[in-house]
Amino acid sequence: LLDLDTVMKKTPWDVLFILGGGYAIAAGCKDSGLSVWIGEQFSFLHSSPRVVIALVVSSFVAILTEFASNTASTTLLLPVLVSLSQAIKVHPLYLMMTGTLSASLAFC
């Protein structure tokens, strides 16, 4: 059977702290309204072509993942991208898929 000593020695605590910290930061940004505010600041992209919007989002996410973990970046930016998509009248999945794939492939 599994005992507490084995769990304490074999658990990757750094991964758990990174995931938990990313979720906490994302929840704080959503609850404080920061994600909505950031999304509204990018509303100047409303008249831009969709390819330019995708390039801006993917570049922003790729730069952010250089300083933070991919999971924390994605968790933090998905609510921002939803509010951005509402501000510029684009379907949310268009920006969310772009941001998620950019975070996943940023190191390639």
Side-chain angles (χ1 to χ4, degrees):
L1 281 172
L2 190 63
D3 59 349
L4 183 61
D5 290 333
T6 305
V7 170
M8 295 301 284
K9 290 178 185 174
K10 304 258 182 191
T11 301
W13 292 106
D14 53 344
V15 174
L16 290 175
F17 284 129
I18 287 174
L19 287 173
Y23 293 140
I25 290 171
C29 288
K30 185 178 178 184
D31 292 342
S32 69
L34 180 63
S35 60
V36 173
W37 181 80
I38 293 173
E40 290 172 354
Q41 298 306 308
F42 282 98
S43 63
F44 66 89
L45 293 171
H46 185 279
S47 60
S48 300
R50 290 181 185 230
V51 175
V52 173
I53 296 170
L55 286 173
V56 167
V57 168
S58 62
S59 299
F60 184 71
V61 172
I63 290 169
L64 182 64
T65 57
E66 295 298 321
F67 301 105
S69 70
N70 294 355
T71 306
S73 300
T74 305
T75 306
L76 177 68
L77 283 177
L78 286 181
V80 172
L81 295 176
V82 169
S83 62
L84 173 62
S85 67
Q86 292 170 349
I88 62 175
K89 309 286 192 280
V90 175
H91 196 280
L93 284 179
Y94 181 73
L95 297 180
M96 292 171 71
M97 294 285 282
T98 303
T100 303
L101 289 174
S102 296
S104 297
L105 302 174
F107 297 111
C108 293

